[in-house]
Amino acid sequence: MVLDPKKHADWEIAQDAETRMKTVQQLGRDMGLLDKELLPYGHVMGKVDYRAVLERLGDKPNGKYVDVTAITPTPLGEGKSTTTIGLVQGLGRRNKRASAAIRQPSGGPTMGVKGSAAGGGLSQCIPLTQYSLGFTGDINAVMNAHNLAMVALTSRMQHERNYNDEKLLKLSGMPRLNIDPTNVNMGWVMDFCCQSLRNIIIGMDGTNGRSDGFMMRSRFDIAVSSEVMAILAIAKDLKDLRQRMGKIIVAYDRDGKPVTTADLEVDGAMTAWMVEAINPNLIQTIEGQPVFVHAGPFANIAIGQSSVIADRIGLKLNEYHVTESGFGADIGYEKFWNLKCHYSGLTPDAAVVVATVRALKYNGGVAKADLNQPNMDALKHGICNLDAHLDNMKKFGVPVVVAVNAFPTDTDEEMDFIREHCAERGVRVALSEVFAKGGEGGQALADEVLAVLDEGKADFHMLYEDSLPLEDKIRKIAKEIYGALGVTIAPAAKKELANITEMGYGNLPVCVAKTQYSLSDDASLLGRPTEFVVNVRTARLAAGAGFVVVETGSIMTMPGLP
């Protein structure tokens, strides 16, 4: 007997379900893992030796690949993780062998206002507490690897100031790197939201004077926005991760040439911190299906994707593999499309766009406090947001199913309107009742996904060619995905884009950081704004991850607490 979501909180449901969960060994065997391919972390969690799995199953055909994305989110959330878990449970009810891949929650939102992103109600993954609080240590490994580069950089800057070339070479065996303190590419990271660390001064003289560091401006970012986390998300294997780690640009010298982690001779040590983290984590749904958890969230300021490695082994081990992209299709799916698939070589067979009645009403202008009240006018006004995302999805050639995540306050009239609207567009739609009913409530969605997969109409392609100039890539994303009139690029960002191109990186894809709450770069513009321009503030080369990061609007890489 499962607990009733109407009467019990998510954590109570999770704790009750944990009394009946499979051991991680049984979970692995049910999925087809050999015992030697499973690395247990206690009784109910584990990591998977990805290399052993891929060596054994490398020639086996992949299962069907499905991505879950959403409409523009509201502060209330749309239930993307809930739908991802529920779809896998629904496929299980149809006797299909399926797995999910989701992102590990950051301590920032978990200790803030959002919760742990484990799903909800009868559609969540367990064990909840361990998953929410540190898990198997992947984010800690990312923090240590990233901050090790900063330790090496700041130490080197201090010693280059304190010693002449001869003594520097004698003491360290390294020539002077001539680092420019005004052109440092990296900051520090931590896995909490802390607005007071966004802009800091480090290295002030203390008791030890000039031995206390090099005084300079610096910053902290949220850990999951680290380039190290991006590398974990897109690396194909340990060799690929190791090569990418050495390409991370920590700063530039006084001639404007990049100084990398390899130049600091710290890239091997950084990789050592990541050797265990590269193996995906394995837990389960409340109903006992496998869930891979690997890489981090925040697709608004980072790549925000579950890992390529988790998807690779999920596709080898299962008939169907459902992966999750962060935030709306304009952010999460765009990066899944043009970044993750660009490097993985994997192409999706179908996509699911999660929508809610209350989110559509929010995009139609209803205040947060009034979203539980029926309002057909607002729903009709806000449906344009769903249309924008469906139009975007058409551009990459993958069939789409709309999943309407049900809430008790939804009315039949509201649901009928969404169904009729999707039917007019020729798009499949299903009511997803996974929060209240688990796998039983996910069967209708599973049926629609299976139907589009059986049709086999996927013709996946990228939005832009690698050869397109960086500024044109930004404009293409802004105009075709966000619906912008155009783009303005600040002089400093324009100069940096030119420098990046001159260094030979102009063929890289672009990772745009922007607000998740609007198709534009202004969080206050709801629905489907049209009369707006995207404002690019900064540009930064992430050579290890293999993309160029541009920040738009007022987006920040260190969130704050309310």
Side-chain angles (χ1 to χ4, degrees):
M1 178 70 70
V2 296
L3 298 184
D4 186 349
K6 295 179 181 178
K7 300 177 182 179
H8 297 275
D10 288 349
W11 67 267
E12 293 176 306
I13 295 170
Q15 285 195 346
D16 176 67
E18 286 164 16
T19 64
R20 301 182 296 276
M21 66 194 304
K22 298 175 182 177
T23 65
V24 71
Q25 289 89 349
Q26 185 60 53
L27 180 67
R29 292 187 194 113
D30 289 349
M31 187 171 49
L33 283 175
L34 303 180
D35 286 350
K36 66 179 181 180
E37 295 167 345
L38 187 65
L39 311 170
Y41 273 62
H43 297 296
V44 293
M45 304 191 311
K47 280 183 169 289
V48 176
D49 185 341
Y50 80 92
R51 184 159 47 188
V53 173
L54 294 177
E55 285 178 357
R56 177 170 65 91
L57 301 176
D59 294 331
K60 181 183 176 183
N62 287 341
K64 295 294 186 180
Y65 193 26
V66 180
D67 183 82
V68 175
T69 183
I71 63 171
T72 300
T74 72
L76 298 169
E78 277 49 68
K80 195 160 63 278
S81 297
T82 302
T83 303
T84 299
I85 301 301
L87 174 56
V88 170
Q89 293 178 159
L91 288 167
R93 295 294 183 102
R94 293 295 189 237
N95 297 316
K96 306 297 184 182
R97 194 171 68 253
S99 60
I102 61 176
R103 300 154 299 147
Q104 183 180 344
S106 163
T110 299
M111 293 298 165
V113 295
K114 187 179 179 183
S116 68
L122 298 184
S123 178
Q124 49 181 315
C125 57
I126 50 178
L128 179 61
T129 300
Q130 294 95 318
Y131 167 79
S132 305
L133 299 176
F135 206 24
T136 61
D138 290 356
I139 293 179
N140 187 64
V142 167
M143 284 193 292
N144 285 336
H146 179 111
N147 288 334
L148 184 59
M150 286 301 294
V151 167
L153 173 69
T154 54
S155 174
R156 188 68 192 175
M157 292 172 72
Q158 172 192 318
H159 297 315
E160 290 199 350
R161 177 197 62 190
N162 290 354
Y163 303 122
N164 60 33
D165 289 0
E166 183 181 359
K167 190 168 185 180
L168 192 67
L169 185 61
K170 180 179 179 182
L171 291 173
S172 69
M174 294 170 60
R176 181 177 296 274
L177 297 176
N178 205 24
I179 299 162
D180 183 353
T182 68
N183 200 359
V184 173
N185 201 42
M186 288 178 67
W188 308 82
V189 296
M190 66 183 298
D191 197 36
F192 294 119
C193 299
C194 187
Q195 52 267 51
S196 65
L197 293 177
R198 286 174 185 153
N199 299 287
I200 59 174
I201 301 294
I202 62 172
M204 292 186 291
D205 286 354
T207 304
N208 301 304
R210 287 165 65 89
S211 295
D212 284 333
F214 186 97
M215 191 164 74
M216 56 181 273
R217 290 178 60 91
S218 191
R219 70 180 193 275
F220 270 84
D221 299 323
I222 193 82
V224 293
S225 72
S226 165
E227 187 174 350
V228 176
M229 180 62 85
I231 290 172
L232 179 64
I234 64 175
K236 294 181 180 180
D237 49 36
L238 184 59
K239 180 181 179 181
D240 186 24
L241 184 142
R242 174 66 180 84
Q243 291 173 340
R244 290 177 179 276
M245 202 71 79
K247 296 177 182 178
I248 295 175
I249 297 172
V250 293
Y252 293 86
D253 68 16
R254 295 179 187 273
D255 294 323
K257 297 178 181 178
V259 176
T260 67
T261 51
D263 293 327
L264 291 170
E265 299 182 7
V266 75
D267 49 331
M270 292 170 66
T271 304
W273 277 104
M274 301 296 296
V275 168
E276 294 300 323
I278 198 172
N279 289 311
N281 306 290
L282 178 64
I283 52 177
Q284 61 194 276
T285 73
I286 279 179
E287 298 183 8
Q289 287 93 1
V291 178
F292 297 101
V293 182
H294 209 209
F298 282 109
N300 57 342
I301 57 175
I303 190 170
Q305 308 293 319
S306 50
S307 79
V308 168
I309 291 177
D311 288 351
R312 289 179 70 197
I313 61 176
L315 288 166
K316 292 299 182 185
L317 289 162
N318 297 281
E319 297 174 287
Y320 302 89
H321 180 67
V322 183
T323 196
E324 179 188 9
S325 297
F327 292 125
D330 58 314
I331 300 178
Y333 196 93
E334 189 275 317
K335 293 177 182 179
F336 170 79
W337 174 12
N338 294 306
L339 297 178
K340 184 178 176 181
C341 292
H342 180 276
Y343 284 112
S344 72
L346 300 172
T347 58
D349 298 291
V352 174
V353 178
V354 181
T356 63
V357 169
R358 63 182 187 177
L360 292 172
K361 290 189 292 188
Y362 183 85
N363 275 282
V366 173
K368 180 179 175 181
D370 299 324
L371 290 176
N372 290 336
Q373 302 301 317
N375 191 326
M376 286 301 299
D377 288 340
L379 179 60
K380 291 176 181 178
H381 188 60
I383 199 76
C384 62
N385 186 264
L386 174 60
D387 286 340
H389 291 289
L390 292 177
D391 287 344
N392 286 341
M393 304 295 271
K394 283 185 178 180
K395 293 174 182 175
F396 48 80
V398 174
V400 176
V401 176
V402 174
V404 183
N405 188 22
F407 283 81
T409 54
D410 299 343
T411 67
D412 290 341
E413 184 181 14
E414 290 169 330
M415 288 301 308
D416 288 343
F417 171 76
I418 296 174
R419 287 194 189 95
E420 291 170 5
H421 185 84
C422 290
E424 290 173 1
R425 290 189 56 104
V427 176
R428 291 181 179 272
V429 60
L431 177 64
S432 175
E433 299 179 282
V434 296
F435 182 92
K437 300 179 181 179
E440 178 187 349
Q443 291 176 103
L445 175 58
D447 289 342
E448 294 297 337
V449 171
L450 290 170
V452 298
L453 290 172
D454 287 343
E455 291 171 358
K457 294 182 178 179
D459 181 24
F460 181 80
H461 46 268
M462 300 295 173
L463 179 67
Y464 50 76
E465 298 294 329
D466 290 348
S467 58
L468 195 67
L470 290 173
E471 288 193 18
D472 290 342
K473 289 171 184 171
I474 297 167
R475 290 190 180 92
K476 196 171 186 70
I477 293 170
K479 289 182 178 181
E480 294 200 24
I481 304 301
Y482 309 154
L485 290 174
V487 175
T488 61
I489 302 176
K494 197 174 188 70
K495 180 180 178 181
E496 188 57 29
L497 289 171
N499 289 338
I500 291 168
T501 301
E502 187 177 346
M503 287 190 291
Y505 293 99
N507 64 329
L508 292 181
V510 174
C511 181
V512 181
K514 81 170 186 72
T515 179
Q516 69 270 33
Y517 293 124
S518 173
L519 286 164
S520 74
D521 60 347
D522 180 351
S524 67
L525 299 181
L526 303 179
R528 189 175 189 173
T530 54
E531 301 295 320
F532 70 93
V533 173
V534 171
N535 301 287
V536 174
R537 296 186 352 253
T538 68
R540 173 173 54 84
L541 174 60
F547 51 70
V548 176
V549 180
V550 295
E551 296 180 352
T552 66
S554 58
I555 195 72
M556 294 171 289
T557 50
M558 170 55 86
L561 284 175

